[in-house]
Each structure stands twice: as structure tokens, then as C-alpha cells.
Amino acid sequence: MAANKIVPSRTALLLLDLQVMYAKMDPSFDALMTHTASVVKAARSKGITIAYCRVAFTESEVANVPDTNPTFSQLKHEPSLAAMFNVNSSEAAFHPAVVPEDGDIVVRKNRVGPFFNAPEDVHAIFKGRGIDTLLLGGVSTGGAVAATVVQASDLDYRLFVLEDSCADPNKETHEFLMKFFAKRATVIKSEELKTLVK
């Protein structure tokens, strides 16, 4: 297989944290999620598996976050924040532009990245489907996307980061990380999928 070719049967488009609450926090995120809907449509038409991952917690999962976790332990001490991240809240739902369809992989996570300390084992799901290549998009570039690039690289996935399907509140962070990701992934624009899919 050519290094830059994408084989649909072995590939998943993994979308991270495309949720209502993040779209409300930053208008650029809302625009990104709307744009990503077209990327999903194009990937689906090529036979690529679509996978959605959101950060959301049950009450017991919140209670089990150790105080050593600086990102999510605050949910235990701020009821309004815990309510927003609750698995059943409208804020934690997927953005209406990118709602999963039947047959898509849909998982939750309880940490920044999707592979560790998660309610569902997305790595096992991917391996069970013969997926060894991931196309990544989501928010934020400096959070979920960065964590996923590092984790997935260490799990030996072949990675493509869709630069225009990722966003960060800080443009400089986004630009820096796209250069950093090139050590572990191929960074492309979503339009390049047309020529890279085998």
C-alpha cells in the first residue's frame, strides 16, 4: 500500500468533541462543525467508517474522577459544570450538523483523549473492524486532537489529521500543532481525501 493512499475498508474518520457546548463557546467551532458535515458526507460516500466520540459523564463516572486529574476533577466540585457534561444533557449532545447515523461508531470518553479511562474501548472496536488508519478531526486542536494524535500513534495507527476539520480557540496553537503533528501523522486538507482514497 502506498504510504499516502487511504484504503476505505481499513479507515475510520474519527471526529472528536463536536458537541453543542463547544459550538456555543466559540463561533469558529460552530462553523467548523458545519463544514465537517460535508467531510463526513464525502468520507461516507467513499466507504470510510465514521466514528464519533464525545466527552460526557454519568454521575458515577464524575464521582470516580480522581482529584489528581486537573481537567475533569472540577466536575465534582462544580454542579453546573457536571450538569453540562452529563451524558443526557443537551449541551453534551453532538452538534446537529454532525449527528451520527445508523452503523456509525459512537463512543464516549471521560478524559481528553479517547483511548484511556474511557467507558467504551474504541481501540478494540477499531481492531474488531480491521481499522488501522484514522482520519482525525475535532475540537480542540490543543486538547482532544493532540491527545488522540499521541495516543493513536503509540497504538500504531496510521494517522491523517484533517487540518480544516480541526480548530482551537488559539490560532497560533492550532498552527503550531499542525507542524508538530507532522512527526506522527500526515496533515492534509479535507479536499485532499478525493485523491488519497484508493
Side-chain angles (χ1 to χ4, degrees), residues 89-112:
S89 85
S90 59
E91 300 286 302
F94 291 108
H95 188 278
V98 285
V99 175
E101 295 184 7
D102 289 344
D104 293 342
I105 295 170
V106 181
V107 295
R108 288 188 302 115
K109 62 190 178 80
N110 290 164
R111 298 296 186 272
V112 178

Side-chain angles (χ1 to χ4, degrees), residues 6 11 13 39 42-43 46 48 135 160 162 188-198:
I6 294 167
T11 303
L13 170 61
V39 179
K46 297 285 189 180
I48 292 170
L135 313 175
F160 291 81
L162 305 179
I188 62 171
K189 302 279 190 192
S190 57
E191 64 187 23
E192 293 177 67
L193 285 176
K194 297 174 200 169
T195 56
L196 291 176
V197 176
K198 190 174 179 181

